[in-house]
Amino acid sequence: MPLDYSKPSSERIALEVGRIPATGSAARGAIFYNPGGPGLSPVQGLASFAARLSPHVRRDYDIVGVDPRGVGGSDALPCGTVASTAPSTSYSVFPTNADQLAEQFGRVDPWLLGTCDFSSSPLFEHMGSVDAAEDIEAVRKLLHVDKIDYFGVSYGAVIGDVYSQLFPAHLRTLTQDSAVDARDWYGRNRGDSLWARLDASAYSEDVLTDLFQACESAGGTCPWASTTRSDYAHVVAALRTGDVSIAGVGTFDTSAFQAEVVAALYRFNLNGTDDYETLFSFIHLLALASSGSTTQQSEPNAVASPAARIELGDLPRDPTIAKMLTVDAVTCADSREPARPEQWFRAAATAEANSPGFGYYWVSQDIICSSWPVARNTVADDLGHKKIDVPFLSLSNIHDPVVGEWDADRVHDLGASGSTVVVTDGWGHGALRSSSCAASAFSKYVASDILPPAPVRCGTDRPPFTG
């Protein structure tokens, strides 16, 4: 449902709010949910989140999602108006070397910024985590809920961190799933770029290495056990000399291949399918194609087509570009980023040297912030270094390609005494969806307002390559 409210500055903001009512006769409270991104819609994700909760929690609690500004059904940024042809690039998704990073820095990002009307909307100045937390508070008041329970995934956990500091009297429980360390997110007194600070390239490489090992250990249930490492190395080497095509699927350069690998590592079993089996099948097909073998993919939808960074549509305002720049607007509003180009090139080169195939991919994600024309919200700098005053629950997968297992421990250190970390032997980004044990710990916490005793170790519902 759309919701208008006026902030103290008298600006009017249209927010999309979703609510799944408690199944019982009367709700005891409300769980506010944010899946992170930034850029993912809480409203669109409410049903899948609610499905992970226990029946007694669903009986007693409304489930509420507030689409942040620019996201989903909330007010959109005035971006994506295509007035000129996009500049050509030598890569399809994200840069993979220094020359391609220079293309993004010098040609692509200036063109993207030119699709926005920065003078027409106050949203550009109010897109960060502080604004998102204030919007949740405004919705809490309108729904006449005294204290909320908050569940945030990844960047959504940062919003929960901010809410806990701005409105502690109205927070009952706080749960952070695959949390980003707010100190790294905001970057005060840190000279590197966001994704270099988060070290996502190293985590992605670690998970891929673990996945090779898992396939080899699975033996007969992983058909690629004897070839997957050599297939991967062969594809990486072949793509250095040119693109590789799979009949019925598409043509891939290094950029598109890396995007497919990272996406698969990120989303394991997100839609009830083993994304890792799909990934290894895809790598094997590329290895065959790069060797000159004839390959025909019988199920072309098994591997997603590469999503270009710039994908022009027929509409005057291109939705792909608008969505991408919404993510940038949130990141640039919060994160303190290097000002000089050489700092970005140095960070990307270092990350790539340490984690081949992943360094340029991750560091290039937010390079547009170096030229973002709207000032950051410096209020968040101080929030990112304060302790979280309430004990909270932190969920984490061991095999997380974005924040790794150890970010949960770092986030735990920000919390009050009594906070608990639940670590699952899970894969992908998001522990609640991969482990019924983690989901049970969360449901019990919300139902009782009592954190489980630490430490908690959980298995995963569906390990990869188990048939």
Side-chain angles (χ1 to χ4, degrees):
M1 60 179 178
L3 180 68
D4 286 344
Y5 81 94
S6 295
K7 291 194 67 178
S9 63
S10 298
E11 69 186 81
R12 293 199 65 83
I13 304 296
L15 299 175
E16 183 76 2
V17 179
R19 181 175 71 94
I20 300 178
T23 59
S25 58
R28 287 179 50 195
I31 302 172
F32 279 65
Y33 167 70
N34 186 289
L40 297 178
S41 165
V43 174
Q44 294 173 12
L46 277 187
S48 60
F49 171 67
R52 298 295 299 173
L53 307 182
S54 66
H56 63 272
V57 169
R58 288 290 299 109
R59 180 194 65 210
D60 293 339
Y61 291 86
D62 293 339
I63 314 299
V64 180
V66 182
D67 280 352
R69 301 146 188 243
V71 176
S74 293
D75 273 353
L77 284 179
C79 289
T81 301
V82 178
S84 61
T85 303
S88 60
T89 62
S90 58
Y91 60 94
S92 60
V93 186
F94 290 105
T96 63
N97 56 48
D99 289 340
Q100 292 176 354
L101 193 65
E103 292 178 36
Q104 179 181 337
F105 205 106
R107 299 208 308 267
V108 176
D109 285 348
W111 182 85
L112 287 170
L113 290 172
T115 72
C116 294
D117 183 358
F118 285 96
S119 64
S120 68
S121 174
L123 279 180
F124 287 105
E125 298 178 2
H126 303 282
M127 287 288 291
S129 54
V130 171
D131 300 286
E134 290 176 341
D135 290 345
I136 289 171
E137 173 64 3
V139 173
R140 181 199 65 78
K141 291 178 180 178
L142 290 171
L143 296 178
H144 304 291
V145 176
D146 181 40
K147 290 189 175 184
I148 70 170
D149 298 85
Y150 183 87
F151 187 100
V153 185
S154 192
Y155 165 71
V158 174
I159 298 174
D161 182 332
V162 173
Y163 186 90
S164 75
Q165 296 182 48
L166 295 179
F167 310 106
H170 297 291
L171 184 64
R172 177 174 171 270
T173 67
L174 172 64
T175 303
Q176 307 204 38
D177 186 348
S178 304
V180 174
D181 186 336
R183 293 166 294 188
D184 285 335
W185 176 261
Y186 295 121
R188 190 180 76 170
N189 299 329
R190 285 162 163 79
D192 226 335
S193 63
L194 170 63
W195 290 103
R197 296 193 298 264
L198 294 175
D199 211 13
S201 56
Y203 289 135
S204 292
E205 182 188 35
D206 288 346
V207 171
L208 181 61
T209 301
D210 291 345
L211 192 59
F212 288 150
Q213 180 62 49
C215 175
E216 291 161 352
S217 298
T221 58
C222 184
W224 312 277
S226 63
T227 63
T228 183
R229 290 181 194 261
S230 59
D231 281 346
Y232 182 81
H234 184 85
V235 170
V236 169
L239 288 172
R240 292 194 187 105
T241 64
D243 297 350
V244 178
S245 297
I246 301 176
V249 177
T251 299
F252 296 84
D253 61 358
T254 297
S255 177
F257 173 68
Q258 290 179 346
E260 291 289 341
V261 171
V262 173
L265 295 178
Y266 184 98
R267 65 175 181 245
F268 174 62
N269 207 24
L270 185 61
N271 299 310
T273 58
D274 191 331
D275 294 279
Y276 296 163
E277 290 185 0
T278 300
L279 172 64
F280 278 12
S281 175
F282 164 61
I283 292 172
H284 185 64
L285 287 172
L286 274 179
L288 291 175
S290 64
S291 299
S293 300
T294 301
T295 61
Q296 179 65 44
Q297 173 72 355
S298 59
E299 298 180 8
N301 291 328
V303 178
S305 299
R309 179 172 172 82
I310 299 174
E311 182 180 323
L312 300 182
D314 297 328
L315 300 175
R317 177 165 291 167
D318 185 86
T320 301
I321 296 175
K323 182 177 181 179
M324 180 176 61
L325 286 166
T326 295
V327 176
D328 292 329
V330 174
T331 305
C332 300
D334 276 355
S335 181
R336 186 176 294 279
E337 301 284 25
R340 301 191 305 276
E342 60 269 21
Q343 293 173 284
W344 291 89
F345 285 89
R346 183 168 58 250
T350 299
E352 185 70 18
N354 293 333
S355 304
F358 297 101
Y360 281 97
Y361 175 93
W362 280 112
V363 172
S364 66
Q365 300 278 323
D366 55 325
I367 196 172
I368 199 170
C369 292
S370 63
S371 53
W372 195 255
V374 180
R376 291 174 57 257
N377 185 344
T378 56
V379 173
D381 279 344
D382 292 330
L383 293 176
H385 277 255
K386 290 182 178 179
K387 288 279 188 178
I388 301 172
D389 290 333
V390 298
F392 63 92
L393 183 66
S394 183
L395 311 180
S396 176
N397 284 334
I398 290 177
H399 309 285
D400 187 318
V402 183
V403 296
E405 172 187 353
W406 306 116
D407 259 28
D409 290 326
R410 291 203 295 266
V411 172
H412 173 263
D413 291 341
L414 283 172
S417 175
S419 298
T420 297
V421 175
V422 175
V423 177
T424 83
D425 189 21
W427 300 77
H429 195 50
L432 186 79
R433 64 178 175 81
S434 69
S435 172
S436 55
C437 170
S440 176
F442 167 65
S443 290
K444 290 177 181 177
Y445 171 40
V446 171
S448 65
D449 194 13
I450 300 174
L451 283 161
V456 178
R457 302 292 296 195
C458 287
T460 184
D461 294 349
R462 185 183 176 187
F465 314 121
T466 53

